[in-house]
Amino acid sequence: MKIIFATGNQGKMKEIREIMADLNMDILSMKEAGCDVDIDENGTTFEENALIKARAIASVMTDAIVLADDSGLEVDYLNKEPGVHSARFMGEDTSYDIKNKAIIDKLEGVEDSKRTARFVCVIAAVYPDGTETTVRKTIEGQIGYEIKGENGFGYDPIFYVPEFGCTTAELTMDQKNKISHRGKALMAVKEEIRGKFS
Ligand code: IMP
């Protein structure tokens, strides 16, 4: 059995290969599978967007397990925005330095207990028999008061995790993958696949 992951992002491919290595299945990116479809992520939930991507690939790759993820940052004080708009927030080409500063500014004067936020990751799976599933995993944290840390990407420098006493941009990649929304969702999907094919 082959797994195709609907992404062009090499970082995500590395993470999924590491986590799913013990399934002993071939894991291919869309490009490696020779699949080039343009997908419009126009859903209003992470689940819808992940399913839109997985279904689009599954419609042309019918003999593989197709996985697709959708993720983002929910800030409770901002009514869970940027949410599904995380990549597009303030424009796709705007730097994360600017986006992160803007979120800190929007929370100016807001007390700790109201700064709660989470990274969400939904992974959709479409199986060769047509079965569809989604898993949602989160990591809970708070919006910090300043930009801190050099690791990670996106909103990591403002995402403070109280248990670790630092932002996710101050964790190593291994530390972050063990506790992150995406790491946990990939582990859950791995167990789902193992359950179906062993
Ligand atoms: P996508 O799931 O690749 O479309 O990612 C959506 C967006 O959510 C990213 O571009 C980031 O802005 C944000 N995001 C998702 N996961 C993380 C994370 O682990 N750290 C920081 N930002 C994230």
Side-chain angles (χ1 to χ4, degrees):
M1 186 52 68
K2 218 170 29 185
I3 297 174
I4 299 173
F5 198 67
T7 187
N9 180 321
Q10 281 310 312
K12 283 189 189 174
M13 285 311 296
K14 184 166 178 275
E15 195 182 346
I16 183 178
R17 282 200 172 98
E18 273 171 24
I19 290 179
M20 303 222 174
D22 57 332
L23 282 178
N24 290 318
M25 292 184 178
D26 284 336
I27 302 173
L28 308 173
S29 66
M30 270 157 65
K31 201 168 151 202
E32 288 159 350
C35 177
D36 187 17
V37 286
D38 204 16
I39 305 164
D40 191 14
E41 288 179 40
N42 56 6
T44 57
T45 63
F46 294 110
E47 278 78 3
E48 271 175 33
N49 278 337
L51 276 169
I52 287 170
K53 284 186 264 188
R55 283 178 185 146
I57 309 293
S59 68
V60 288
M61 297 281 160
T62 52
D63 61 346
I65 301 168
V66 179
L67 304 180
D69 76 329
D70 196 45
S71 60
L73 173 71
E74 288 183 352
V75 181
D76 291 327
Y77 187 77
L78 303 178
N79 298 316
K80 301 203 173 173
E81 283 296 316
V84 291
H85 308 112
S86 291
R88 287 163 278 171
F89 175 64
M90 297 178 76
E92 194 108 29
D93 296 330
T94 305
S95 75
Y96 276 93
D97 214 36
I98 293 174
K99 296 187 201 212
N100 284 334
K101 283 193 182 115
I103 291 180
I104 289 176
D105 286 350
K106 282 176 193 276
L107 267 68
E108 197 183 338
V110 174
E111 64 190 73
D112 279 3
S113 64
K114 294 203 174 117
R115 302 180 77 90
T116 48
R118 70 202 52 76
F119 282 127
V120 178
C121 177
V122 170
I123 299 183
V126 178
Y127 291 91
D129 68 358
T131 312
E132 295 179 345
T133 62
T134 58
V135 297
R136 168 185 282 239
K137 295 288 172 185
T138 60
I139 172 172
E140 299 289 328
Q142 288 171 5
I143 298 303
Y145 293 89
E146 55 183 343
I147 288 174
K148 265 186 119 177
E150 306 288 330
N151 304 331
F153 67 100
Y155 299 100
D156 280 326
I158 58 166
F159 191 77
Y160 179 80
V161 188
E163 297 142 74
F164 284 83
C166 65
T167 68
T168 42
E170 295 175 284
L171 297 175
T172 64
M173 199 200 279
D174 276 353
Q175 282 174 322
K176 183 182 162 196
N177 288 348
K178 282 200 184 91
I179 58 160
S180 79
H181 50 316
R182 191 171 301 103
K184 290 191 282 193
L186 285 169
M187 291 289 285
V189 171
K190 174 167 90 169
E191 293 317 319
E192 180 180 287
I193 293 172
R194 209 199 296 280
K196 279 183 186 277
F197 291 91
S198 63

